[in-house]
């Protein structure tokens, strides 16, 4: 079965540009498909892909081929490239512009799209996944046509920072909603990319009372070493299944984090943290977040991997803990501004890009690396990117 958006080669007159798609047809089964891509429509740009960041959705499909539509898919949610053709009705872009591509184009017609929170549009189609509309296939193409309204100009040097753009929009949305102040205390549960970026934004906004926790000690230490948090706590893995036992364990972790914050800042957090950011997506982490939050404090559920969780809602209600969510795609301009403007308080975000691969020929190897926890040198694997605009002497760097 062929991808609908790529017309097959024809011996007739010109009807498109030769291009290749890297198509997933089964678990870890990535194949090349050649085809023709037409000129962009009046409101579109044609973009040559030059940088791809591999995210957890890409990895889930790559490993398991979870695909209810039972058809081949091209992955690639987070990407950037260069404009090679401009639609006749587009005025804000020129050939040669470097652009980041928004991952979830909204419908543009509903009441949510008319307002400031178009990320709440119920007709959003995320690129690179199992979506019903074939035009929303992902960026594992040499070139693609996209609506100009869903593209954002980048400076040339920042192409590889596309690896951080989508998770950074989520982190910005979380901290904007929390309305965090300098004097407040913050606990971040989960030292993955989004958790680390939440810590980075706290630091950039001069919030210094930041503790980060993770079940993987190496990630926790990475966060502290590179300035994403002031102190860290390694959480032991708990395998119990009884809900009461899990809630008691969550209370213990919350108490340990609160005690750690006091030893660092000499501030007695008798009642808990002002803000807790749950960035791991686990049920146990959500339970810990509620117990670690002070009365009238805020818990932000930033990662939503597990759709059903047993939550101590009575504990939250009794202490008037405000539970919020954050998963925005409407803060792209803020994220680009943060990535491209110098802020001495901001940690070096390039440290999150732990592995770089070069060229389409190494796409499968990059996906294999991104599925790992550590590389061959026992270094952590955080963000893996594939750069297609240049190539060093080797196929991979770390």
């Amino acid at each position: 079965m062929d991808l609908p958006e790529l017309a097959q080669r024809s011996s007739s007159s010109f009807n498109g540009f030769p291009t290749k798609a890297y198509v997933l047809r089964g678990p870890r089964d990535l194949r090349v498909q050649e085809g023709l891509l037409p000129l962009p429509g009046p409101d579109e740009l044609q973009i040559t892909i030059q940088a791809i960041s591999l995210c957890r959705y890409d990895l889930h499909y790559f490993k398991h081929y979870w695909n209810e539509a039972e058809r081949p898919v091209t992955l690639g949610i987070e990407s950037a490239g260069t404009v090679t053709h401009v639609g006749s009705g587009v005025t804000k872009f020129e050939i040669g512009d470097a652009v980041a591509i928004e991952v979830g184009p909204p419908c543009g017609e509903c009441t949510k799209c008319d307002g400031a929170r178009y990320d709440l549009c119920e007709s959003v189609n995320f690129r690179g996944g199992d979506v019903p509309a074939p035009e929303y296939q992902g960026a594992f193409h040499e070139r693609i046509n996209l609506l100009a309204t869903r593209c954002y100009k980048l400076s040339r040097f920042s192409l590889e920072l596309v690896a951080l753009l989508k998770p950074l929009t989520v982190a910005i949305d979380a901290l904007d909603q929390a309305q965090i102040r300098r004097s407040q205390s913050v606990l971040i549960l989960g030292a993955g990319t989004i958790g680390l970026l939440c810590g980075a934004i706290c630091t950039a906004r001069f919030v210094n009372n930041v503790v980060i926790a993770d079940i993987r000690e190496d990630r926790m230490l990475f966060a502290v070493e590179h300035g994403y948090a002031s102190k860290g706590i390694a959480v032991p893995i708990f395998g119990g299944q009884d809900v009461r036992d899990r809630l008691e364990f969550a209370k213990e972790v919350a108490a340990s984090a609160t005690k750690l914050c006091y030893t660092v800042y000499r501030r007695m957090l008798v009642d808990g943290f002002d803000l807790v950011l749950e960035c791991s997506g686990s049920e146990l982490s959500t339970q810990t977040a509620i117990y670690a939050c002070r009365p009238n404090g805020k818990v932000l559920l930033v990662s939503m991997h597990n759709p059903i969780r047993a939550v101590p809602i009575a504990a939250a209600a009794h202490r008037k803990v405000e539970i919020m969510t954050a998963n925005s795609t409407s803060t792209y301009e803020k994220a680009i501004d943060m990535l491209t403007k110098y802020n001495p308080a901001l940690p070096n975000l390039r440290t999150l890009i732990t592995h770089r691969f070069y060229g389409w020929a190494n796409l499968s190897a990059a996906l294999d690396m991104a599925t790992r926890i550590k590389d061959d040198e026992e270094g952590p694997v955080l963000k893996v990117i594939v750069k297609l605009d240049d190539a060093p002497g080797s196929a991979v760097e770390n």
Side-chain angles (χ1 to χ4, degrees):
M1 181 177 178
D2 296 315
L3 291 176
E5 74 277 18
L6 288 184
Q8 296 304 297
R9 291 184 179 274
S10 170
S11 58
S12 61
S13 60
F14 173 80
N15 58 3
F17 297 95
T19 188
K20 294 178 182 178
Y22 296 80
V23 184
L24 189 71
R25 295 180 178 271
R28 299 180 183 265
D29 182 10
L30 200 64
R31 306 183 196 178
V32 178
Q33 177 179 315
E34 296 185 359
L36 297 171
L37 186 68
L39 282 167
D43 55 353
E44 292 182 329
L45 301 174
Q46 188 165 110
I47 298 168
T48 296
I49 300 299
Q50 292 190 300
I52 294 172
S53 168
L54 303 178
C55 73
R56 64 182 179 91
Y57 292 106
D58 296 324
L59 305 182
H60 182 77
Y61 278 91
F62 181 67
K63 289 191 295 183
H64 306 294
Y65 194 57
W66 176 59
N67 185 1
E68 294 179 358
E70 296 183 353
R71 59 169 172 77
V73 294
T74 50
L75 305 177
I77 292 177
E78 302 168 4
S79 59
T82 300
V83 176
T84 51
H85 288 87
V86 179
S88 59
V90 177
T91 59
K92 295 183 179 180
F93 293 89
E94 298 178 352
I95 292 176
D97 284 344
V99 294
I101 299 166
E102 187 160 356
V103 302
C107 73
E109 299 176 354
C110 68
T111 55
K112 302 294 192 303
C113 290
D114 288 339
R117 295 308 299 260
Y118 66 82
D119 55 305
L120 299 177
C121 172
E122 295 183 2
S123 298
V124 147
N125 282 299
F126 283 95
R127 296 188 177 279
D130 182 24
V131 296
E135 62 268 28
Y136 294 115
Q137 289 289 312
F140 285 10
H141 289 78
E142 291 180 336
R143 59 174 75 192
I144 52 177
N145 291 337
L146 296 164
L147 287 173
T149 53
R150 301 275 70 89
C151 297
Y152 299 85
K153 285 187 181 181
L154 294 171
S155 56
R156 274 286 174 187
F157 71 88
S158 63
L159 269 178
E160 77 168 13
L161 290 179
V162 69
L164 307 177
L165 195 52
K166 175 57 173 71
L168 187 57
T169 65
V170 176
I172 289 173
D173 181 52
L175 272 300
D176 283 353
Q177 288 194 67
Q179 298 179 327
I180 189 70
R181 299 191 301 273
R182 293 187 183 188
S183 61
Q184 291 184 314
S185 57
V186 180
L187 172 63
I188 300 172
L189 298 172
T193 301
I194 290 180
L196 293 169
L197 287 172
C198 285
I201 295 172
C202 288
T203 302
R205 297 180 181 180
F206 302 101
V207 180
N208 297 316
N209 301 349
V210 180
V211 173
I212 197 164
D214 200 279
I215 59 173
R216 289 180 49 199
E217 186 177 20
D218 59 335
R219 285 202 173 187
M220 178 272 291
L221 294 174
F222 176 94
V224 176
E225 178 184 351
H226 291 90
Y228 296 96
S230 308
K231 197 71 176 178
I233 179 171
V235 180
I237 296 176
F238 183 77
Q241 298 301 315
D242 183 80
V243 172
R244 289 169 296 184
D245 291 342
R246 293 174 69 83
L247 291 177
E248 285 302 315
F249 181 77
K251 289 180 183 178
E252 294 174 6
V253 174
S256 297
T258 302
K259 182 179 179 181
L260 177 64
C261 193
Y262 171 68
T263 62
V264 176
Y265 308 113
R266 297 295 186 267
R267 177 187 173 193
M268 182 58 75
L269 298 180
V270 176
D271 297 323
F273 290 82
D274 297 300
L275 172 65
V276 184
L277 298 165
E278 199 294 290
C279 300
S280 76
S282 76
E283 180 181 76
L284 189 57
S285 181
T286 305
Q287 296 162 351
T288 301
I290 290 174
Y291 289 128
C293 189
R294 68 165 176 79
N296 288 318
K298 296 177 181 178
V299 169
L300 264 131
L301 305 180
V302 187
S303 293
M304 301 293 288
H305 302 179
N306 189 343
I308 300 175
R309 310 183 198 185
V311 176
I313 198 67
H318 177 70
R319 294 183 295 124
K320 292 181 167 53
V321 171
E322 184 176 2
I323 301 176
M324 310 167 70
T325 62
N327 193 19
S328 178
T329 57
S330 60
T331 55
Y332 267 75
E333 292 181 352
K334 282 187 178 181
I336 291 171
D337 189 63
M338 179 174 287
L339 288 175
T340 56
K341 290 185 178 179
Y342 176 68
N343 180 347
L346 187 70
N348 180 9
L349 299 183
R350 291 180 187 271
T351 58
L352 295 180
I353 304 174
T354 54
H355 296 79
R356 297 168 174 84
F357 287 74
Y358 295 85
W360 288 109
N362 293 297
L363 181 57
S364 289
L367 285 160
D368 283 328
M369 176 62 74
T371 63
R372 299 171 59 176
I373 295 175
K374 294 184 178 182
D375 60 23
D376 293 340
E377 286 72 43
E378 293 298 310
V381 178
L382 292 171
K383 266 296 185 181
V384 177
I385 67 169
V386 182
K387 298 188 71 176
L388 306 159
D389 55 337
D390 55 12
S394 61
V396 59
E397 286 183 341
N398 57 358

